[in-house]
Structures are given as structure tokens and as C-alpha cells.
């Protein structure tokens, strides 16, 4: 069982917080990119005839910057080359690309059954401040159009701890988006990544953000309001009605296999973690010669596999299964982390519940600090 991530690096505008691999779409060889993306799939898939793909996630960048014709070509190629007939098929989208139904209809006709829409805030001033080009009214139009076409599995993203954002302002966005009665929501705290406009402003002392206490209040508000509206937290930043959890992302958090296609994409198959060239021309050049565009392979050692099993699994409310850990690594989790788990339990950061090891509510707030403690200092064998 595996998933496939497909990267579309094109954007109409670069948001101030984004550090994903992306370029302005104007002047880019988009048709050639789509064709070579499908060629990459054709080169890879014969090597893995026994690795059925159960989820496909098309992210970016902004996949919906593609034209209807390009979207149709891409979707048909995915279906044919990946032998992907059933399962969760997600496209990321921006509200401004969904102001008409043509692209939505192409996606729906090709079996895309889940949309993840980048909303970030329902405040026009905040949207301008973070470099978004859509406005609040566009969000409502996008959701309405998606529903008209027949999409039911819709998710939106919200960001908190944004410049100029108060707790009340974030509460407003939460309440308004929950009123849309969508089955899935993601909400993230702003992270200042290198090579972003916000990071450079922070270095110059020109970026004012909410305090850590307000950030914690915002996160708690999200948890409380989502729960009150029947959207349960199944991962640190994700909430869903039962049955609408994102299956593709669950593959990541379960440390399962996934293919990565496109410029800058990562894949993880067996013990091999590979990374494609990021710059567009460096990605395209080898594919024109019918060669794979992989810049690096990393054979993941046992210790790193175990660390990632803990980091990723503990992000979920379900946590890490002791039995799955033992079956996968032929080690007992207690033999590797017994003393640490006892310490974290006494601090109220983890809970040991039967087969499951999971973060407590307090641990969810301090996730990164807890995860760091699972780094292994010494080789296991």
C-alpha cells in the first residue's frame, strides 16, 4: 500500500510565509512540465509493479493555476499510468481559481473526490497582509461552486499567529468557516521559514506577531470549537467529521510508503528516501533524455526509521501502536524508549493506554519539544 504525491510548482503570486518549491507561472514551460511529469511516472511505475497506489495528493505551489486542458491531461495521465482507479484523490486549490466551475468540472469528471482549499483567514486585511490575492467573498463563491459541481469532501486551511491577528480575529475566522459545515479543517500556527518574505522581515525587526500565550489560546480555541461542532482532532493540526480524515496524510503519519513526482518532490519507498531536483529546468532536463530527475537517495538507517515512527505517529490522536512497532522493527518500544516514556508520562506529556502510546492534551501543545526527546544518541545494533 502506498500513496503518491504530485507537485505542481506554479503560482500566480508568492505568499509571504510560503517556503514550498514554487515559481511564478508567467513565462514558465507549463505544458512541457505536465508532459514530463507524466513521463516521470511512466519511468518509475514499472519498477514497482507490486506497490498499489491507494491515495493521490496533488499539491504545490498551486495546482489549480493549470488550465482546464492541462488539468484534464494531468488527471487522465494519473489514472492511466498509476493504475489509480479507486481511493482518495485530492487536489489543493486556491479560492481565486474556483470563481468559475470549469476547472472544478474537469477535476470532478476525472474522479478527483477531495479538495483542500487554501483560505488561511476570513479577514480581508489579514489576507492582504500575508500576501494572499483572494478575498473573503471569493472563499464563499469557491465553496458554493465546488458543491454545485458535486464535491462533498472539502477541506480548508486556516493559519493563526499571523501579523496583526488578534485572538478575536482568529475566533471570527474559526466560527465563519465552521458555519460552512465542511467535513474537514486544518489549522496551523505560522512558522517563519527561511527564504520567505516574513523571515526576512523578522530578521529586520519589522514583523510583529502575537505572543506565545495568545498563540496557545488560539490553538485551544480551535480545538474547543472544532470539538463543539463535531470535528474531532485526529492530528495536531487536523480536524474532521468521522470518516473524513485525510487518508493520504495518514499514510505520512503512519510512516508508510509514498511516491513523489514533480520538481522538488520527496518519495519514500522501502528504506529509500529520494528527492527530485527543485528548479524547473533541472527537473525537466533529465526527463527529456528519459532519465529520472532524482538529485539524492538516502538509505534510511534503522535508528532514523524508529525516530520517524515516533515523531509522525505521535502527531496523531491515535498515537503509536506498540504491536505495529514490534512487528515493523522486531523490537519492543519499551526496550528502546522505556525510561523516556516513563519520564514523559510523569510529566503529563504522554499517555500509555493499552497498545497505544500517544501525546496528552498538554503534549499536543508542546509537540516539537516532546518529539526532540525521541532522537536516539546511540546506534541500536
Amino acid at each position: 500500500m502506498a500513496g503518491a504525491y504530485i507537485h505542481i510548482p506554479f503560482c500566480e503570486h508568492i505568499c509571504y510565509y510560503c517556503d514550498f518549491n514554487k515559481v511564478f507561472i508567467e513565462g514558465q514551460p507549463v505544458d512541457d512540465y505536465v508532459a514530463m511529469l507524466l513521463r516521470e511516472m511512466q519511468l518509475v511505475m514499472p519498477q514497482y509493479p507490486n506497490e498499489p497506489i491507494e491515495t493521490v495528493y496533488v499539491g504545490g505551489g498551486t495546482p489549480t493555476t493549470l488550465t482546464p486542458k492541462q488539468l484534464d491531461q494531468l488527471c487522465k495521465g494519473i489514472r492511466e499510468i498509476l493504475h489509480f482507479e479507486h481511493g482518495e484523490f485530492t487536489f489543493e486549490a486556491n479560492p481565486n481559481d474556483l470563481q468559475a466551475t470549469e476547472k472544478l468540472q474537469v477535476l470532478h469528471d476525472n474522479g478527483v473526490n477531495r479538495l483542500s482549499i487554501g483560505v488561511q483567514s476570513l479577514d480581508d486585511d489579514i489576507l492582504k497582509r500575508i500576501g494572499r490575492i483572494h478575498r473573503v467573498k471569493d472563499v464563499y463563491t469557491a465553496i458554493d461552486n465546488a458543491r454545485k459541481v458535486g464535491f462533498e469532501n472539502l477541506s480548508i486551511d486556516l493559519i493563526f499567529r499571523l501579523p496583526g491577528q488578534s485572538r478575536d480575529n482568529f475566533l471570527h475566522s474559526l466560527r465563519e468557516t465552521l458555519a460552512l459545515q465542511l467535513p474537514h479543517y486544518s489549522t496551523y500556527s505560522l512558522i517563519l521559514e527561511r527564504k520567505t518574505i516574513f523571515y526576512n522581515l523578522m530578521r529586520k525587526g519589522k514583523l510583529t506577531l502575537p505572543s506565545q500565550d495568545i498563540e496557545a489560546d488560539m490553538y485551544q480555541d480551535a480545538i474547543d470549537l472544532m470539538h463543539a461542532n463535531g470535528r474531532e482532532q485526529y492530528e495536531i493540526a487536523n480536524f474532521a467529521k468521522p470518516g473524513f480524515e485525510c487518508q493520504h496524510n495518514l499514510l505520512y503519519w503512519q510512516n508508510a510508503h509514498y511516491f513523489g513526482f514533480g520538481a522538488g518532490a520527496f518519495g519514500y519507498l522501502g528504506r529509500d528516501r529520494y528527492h527530485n531536483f527543485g528548479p524547473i529546468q533541472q527537473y525537466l532536463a533529465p526527463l527529456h533524455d528519459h532519465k529520472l530527475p532524482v538529485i539524492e537517495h538516502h538509505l534510511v538507517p534503522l535508528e532514523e526509521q524508529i525516530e520517524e515512527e515516533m515523531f509522525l505517529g505521535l502527531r496523531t490522536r491515535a498515537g503509536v501502536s506498540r504491536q505495529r512497532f514490534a512487528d515493523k522493527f522486531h523490537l519492543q518500544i519499551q526496550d528502546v524508549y522505556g525510561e523516556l516514556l516513563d519520564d514523559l508520562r510523569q510529566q503529563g506529556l504522554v499517555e500509555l493506554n493499552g497498545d497505544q502510546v500517544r501525546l496528552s492534551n498538554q503534549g499536543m501543545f508542546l509537540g516539537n519539544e516532546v518529539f526532540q526527546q525521541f532522537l536516539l544518541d546511540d546506534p541500536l545494533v
Side-chain angles (χ1 to χ4, degrees):
M1 181 182 76
Y5 173 76
I6 297 165
H7 191 71
I8 306 297
F10 308 115
C11 290
E12 291 182 16
H13 183 77
I14 304 301
C15 302
Y16 301 160
Y17 53 84
C18 179
D19 76 328
F20 294 119
N21 187 46
K22 76 281 181 187
V23 293
F24 288 111
I25 193 168
E26 187 174 350
Q28 294 294 333
V30 184
D31 285 335
D32 190 30
Y33 183 87
V34 172
M36 290 303 101
L37 186 55
L38 297 178
R39 178 173 291 178
E40 183 188 2
M41 297 178 201
Q42 290 169 333
L43 291 172
V44 168
M45 293 314 297
Q47 302 175 43
Y48 299 92
N50 299 316
E51 195 78 73
I53 290 177
E54 297 197 357
T55 68
V56 170
Y57 191 104
V58 184
T62 312
T64 48
T65 56
L66 300 184
T67 65
K69 182 179 178 181
Q70 291 162 346
L71 288 170
D72 187 57
Q73 180 187 0
L74 175 60
C75 290
K76 283 182 166 57
I78 290 170
R79 289 291 192 192
E80 179 182 349
I81 301 166
L82 302 186
H83 305 294
F84 180 63
E85 298 177 4
H86 307 287
E88 183 185 87
F89 191 177
T90 301
F91 254 75
E92 288 184 349
N94 274 355
N96 45 292
D97 294 323
L98 308 181
Q99 297 306 292
T101 60
E102 187 178 6
K103 292 182 181 182
L104 286 162
Q105 193 67 59
V106 168
L107 296 176
H108 193 266
D109 289 348
N110 280 286
V112 175
N113 51 30
R114 185 174 184 275
L115 294 179
S116 178
I117 303 173
V119 171
Q120 318 315 355
S121 174
L122 283 185
D123 182 299
D124 281 343
D125 289 337
I126 294 287
L127 291 171
K128 292 175 188 175
R129 200 170 290 150
I130 65 178
R132 300 292 289 178
I133 58 175
H134 75 269
R135 294 297 173 255
V136 172
K137 63 180 177 57
D138 300 327
V139 174
Y140 291 100
T141 302
I143 298 293
D144 188 46
N145 285 341
R147 284 172 163 161
K148 283 179 183 176
V149 167
F151 284 99
E152 297 176 1
N153 195 352
L154 301 172
S155 176
I156 63 173
D157 293 348
L158 293 174
I159 301 178
F160 58 94
R161 190 181 166 245
L162 292 169
Q165 187 181 47
S166 66
R167 183 180 177 185
D168 284 343
N169 178 277
F170 180 59
L171 273 168
H172 170 77
S173 288
L174 283 171
R175 290 182 177 125
E176 292 298 308
T177 53
L178 281 164
L180 291 168
Q181 291 291 305
L182 304 181
H184 190 283
Y185 296 86
S186 299
T187 182
Y188 308 91
S189 175
L190 175 68
I191 299 174
L192 297 176
E193 303 282 7
R194 294 178 180 274
K195 300 181 181 178
T196 64
I197 293 172
F198 275 172
Y199 184 83
N200 292 332
L201 288 173
M202 181 271 292
R203 292 283 301 271
K204 296 174 182 177
K206 296 181 178 180
L207 190 70
T208 303
L209 301 175
S211 68
Q212 286 186 329
D213 286 344
I214 293 175
E215 177 187 2
D217 288 339
M218 289 173 169
Y219 184 42
Q220 187 65 60
D221 289 338
I223 293 170
D224 293 344
L225 277 175
M226 291 290 172
H227 176 72
N229 285 270
R231 274 61 180 170
E232 297 303 331
Q233 184 181 30
Y234 69 99
E235 190 270 345
I236 284 179
N238 287 274
F239 306 81
K241 287 174 62 177
F244 285 90
E245 298 84 359
C246 179
Q247 297 305 304
H248 184 82
N249 285 342
L250 282 171
L251 281 178
Y252 294 149
W253 299 321
Q254 291 165 359
N255 210 15
H257 293 172
Y258 56 91
F259 294 85
F261 299 109
F266 285 83
Y268 185 35
L269 300 166
R271 290 178 56 200
D272 178 28
R273 177 171 289 114
Y274 62 90
H275 181 199
N276 283 350
F277 284 102
I280 304 297
Q281 293 301 334
Q282 289 185 42
Y283 169 77
L284 295 175
L287 287 164
H288 286 149
D289 294 329
H290 294 268
K291 297 177 182 176
L292 289 175
V294 177
I295 188 174
E296 180 183 23
H297 288 277
H298 172 54
L299 199 62
V300 182
L302 176 63
E303 291 79 12
E304 193 173 332
Q305 293 177 56
I306 287 175
E307 291 168 352
E308 291 177 353
E309 189 80 8
M310 301 306 295
F311 297 164
L312 296 169
L314 286 173
R315 288 188 62 91
T316 68
R317 277 293 186 185
V320 177
S321 162
R322 296 171 188 260
Q323 187 61 55
R324 185 173 185 272
F325 187 99
D327 293 343
K328 189 170 184 178
F329 302 113
H330 307 292
L331 291 165
Q332 297 299 319
I333 198 168
Q334 206 69 21
D335 293 338
V336 182
Y337 290 118
E339 187 175 336
L340 173 62
L341 290 174
D342 288 342
D343 288 346
L344 292 173
R345 185 171 51 129
Q346 290 174 14
Q347 295 174 49
L349 298 175
V350 302
E351 298 171 350
L352 310 180
N353 186 5
D355 180 57
Q356 300 302 121
V357 178
R358 61 191 181 202
L359 292 182
S360 65
N361 289 340
Q362 183 184 357
M364 281 277 178
F365 279 82
L366 301 171
N368 289 335
E369 296 172 34
V370 177
F371 300 153
Q372 289 175 8
Q373 298 185 57
F374 285 91
L375 292 170
L376 295 167
D377 296 327
D378 301 310
L380 292 174
V381 291

